[in-house]
Amino acid sequence: MADRQRNARTAASRAVTRPHTRDVWDAGVRGFHWLLVLAVAAAGLTGFFGARNSLGIHLIAGTVIAALIGFRLVWGVLGGGYARFSSFLFAPTIIISYARGLLRGTARRYLGHNPLGGLMVFALLAVLTLIVVSGVITLGGQDKQGPLAFVTPFAVGWFVRGIHKLLALMLVAMVAAHLAGVLYESRHEHENLTSAMLTGRKRDEPGVVAPVAQGSWRLASILLLLGGAGIAAGTAGLAARPALGVPTAPLDAAYARECSACHMTYHPSLMPASSWEAILANLDHHFGEDASLDPAIIDHLRAYLTANAAERWDTLPAVKFRQSIDPKDSIRITATSFWRRMHHGIPEATFANRLVGGRSNCSACHSDAVSASFAPQNIEIPEELQ
């Protein structure tokens, strides 16, 4: 009997000391939150610190972010009570009043997003959307890939690239502010908000009125499947269109034959017409070799190279090589400031590697060098076995 009474008192004591909790964050919100954390981290690490050939991972992360934004927009209308935008869409006066109360230590507690937290959610979704859009434009103009490559000039992609970077830095600042807010609110309300986002439950309080809307997973799933399939099909269709200003015709047979006899075949778009003219005018002293050709063949090559020189195309290599050509050494791609900048940090031993064979052998590391695409994903530096 004494044991029963003691156990009853212990249970009652635990009931008093253990706060009641309530389901606040549904599975949709929690899944969105943690998947977004992983995707943003992957995109940030590859974007700020990754090598050029990490673009593939960056694009996967960006695609996941875009899909998560789409899900959150749908779930913000069809999700559970605390997931719906209407539950944390506060008037400016309420946001200001809450901020003042926070400074005075008199701010009321919200089970869901408080006014500042709700504002941060909308701001993050807006900035993430702009990052995704600017990333797609940059990809289309700079790298000639993706659904907008067929319509985006290089100059536009290069300009938007700067905006993309600024937005990424803004996102970093917003994430830092968000983490600071979570830490402050966790201490102020004596509740682990990180744990709450894992379990979905928060401490309940008498008199708190909870939104009553239930999440409509079935309708949300249908909308996401239909919308996702439509967007995926449309994106694939647009991405399949020829990119703006990118050469697609095969190399001239005579040019490919004469070039490949001694070295890799350099695409005409890699140098301006003046550089090709300088090369043709001095074939008897072609990088220490006599590469003289029949005048008729030279005339044919001159016409082909002039018609397909860097001025004719809108790719990153074409634009940057013609802009950075060295007037004192106009016939060497490796003498351009752009080539030096892109290969900065690569040790001499790499170029001396017998599998590379020197600075001029682009094909050793770029599998698409002959087509002049130079996609970042196609960069692989061969390592000589010791």
Side-chain angles (χ1 to χ4, degrees):
M1 181 65 71
D3 289 341
R4 289 182 180 179
Q5 290 177 344
R6 186 163 50 251
N7 291 338
R9 286 195 300 270
T10 301
S13 175
R14 288 176 178 174
V16 172
T17 57
R18 182 186 300 161
H20 293 289
T21 60
R22 173 184 296 186
D23 287 324
V24 175
W25 306 125
D26 59 34
V29 171
R30 300 199 309 274
F32 164 80
H33 180 274
W34 294 115
L35 286 174
L36 187 64
V37 168
L38 294 175
V40 168
L45 289 173
T46 53
F48 287 116
F49 308 109
R52 282 280 292 167
N53 59 1
S54 64
L55 178 63
I57 299 174
H58 190 75
L59 294 181
I60 292 173
T63 302
V64 172
I65 292 172
L68 288 172
I69 292 172
F71 167 80
R72 191 63 183 93
L73 292 177
V74 173
W75 201 238
V77 177
L78 300 176
Y82 289 105
R84 300 199 176 196
F85 296 140
S86 58
S87 71
F88 53 91
L89 182 59
F90 298 96
T93 53
I94 296 178
I95 297 174
I96 294 172
S97 176
Y98 178 82
R100 288 174 177 172
L102 204 61
L103 293 174
R104 293 192 296 263
T106 60
R108 58 163 288 196
R109 179 173 180 264
Y110 289 79
L111 272 181
H113 291 300
N114 62 49
L116 286 178
L119 182 63
M120 178 61 78
V121 170
F122 289 118
L124 283 171
L125 287 174
V127 170
L128 285 169
T129 300
L130 291 174
I131 287 176
V132 169
V133 172
S134 62
V136 172
I137 296 174
T138 300
L139 181 69
Q142 175 181 293
D143 298 299
K144 299 301 180 181
Q145 301 178 36
L148 297 183
F150 77 100
V151 74
T152 309
F154 172 81
V156 173
W158 191 257
F159 174 78
V160 175
R161 171 176 175 264
I163 298 176
H164 186 68
K165 289 184 175 181
L166 288 176
L167 288 168
L169 292 173
M170 183 185 300
L171 179 63
V172 171
M174 293 174 69
V175 169
H178 171 66
L179 294 176
V182 168
L183 181 61
Y184 175 83
E185 192 173 350
S186 294
R187 291 185 175 182
H188 178 70
E189 298 183 358
H190 308 289
E191 184 171 38
N192 189 331
L193 295 184
T194 302
S195 176
M197 188 54 73
L198 287 169
T199 64
R201 300 185 67 83
K202 294 183 69 176
R203 187 180 76 253
D204 199 3
E205 289 181 349
V208 175
V209 179
V212 296
Q214 297 297 314
S216 179
W217 282 101
R218 183 174 300 176
L219 180 57
S221 299
I222 293 174
L223 290 176
L224 289 169
L225 285 173
L226 292 177
I231 292 173
T235 299
L238 293 176
R241 301 186 63 175
L244 180 68
V246 176
T248 56
L251 292 173
D252 178 79
Y255 172 71
R257 181 181 65 252
E258 298 298 339
C259 260
S260 62
C262 299
H263 49 70
M264 69 159 283
T265 306
Y266 296 95
H267 197 278
S269 66
L270 297 182
M271 288 201 296
S274 58
S275 295
W276 290 119
E277 179 59 38
I279 288 176
L280 293 175
N282 295 277
L283 286 177
D284 54 339
H285 296 90
H286 187 66
F287 300 103
E289 301 287 339
D290 185 355
S292 300
L293 295 172
D294 184 90
I297 295 179
I298 292 178
D299 289 339
H300 173 80
L301 296 181
R302 178 179 290 108
Y304 169 68
L305 293 171
T306 301
N308 292 276
E311 294 92 339
R312 302 286 184 174
W313 305 108
D314 193 50
T315 64
L316 172 67
V319 173
K320 290 301 179 180
F321 279 136
R322 74 171 181 254
Q323 289 177 347
S324 63
I325 201 77
D326 184 357
K328 297 179 180 178
D329 194 355
S330 64
I331 63 173
R332 294 179 190 267
I333 294 174
T334 56
T336 62
S337 58
F338 175 68
W339 189 96
R340 293 197 302 269
R341 184 169 67 253
M342 295 301 292
H343 296 81
H344 175 73
I346 298 178
E348 282 297 325
T350 298
F351 295 112
N353 181 341
R354 63 184 179 83
L355 299 177
V356 175
R359 294 172 176 267
S360 61
N361 188 21
C362 305
S363 295
C365 303
H366 301 269
S367 60
D368 54 358
V370 174
S371 67
S373 297
F374 291 96
Q377 302 97 314
N378 294 331
I379 300 174
E380 185 175 357
I381 300 176
E383 297 293 338
E384 190 171 18
L385 295 178
Q386 300 297 323

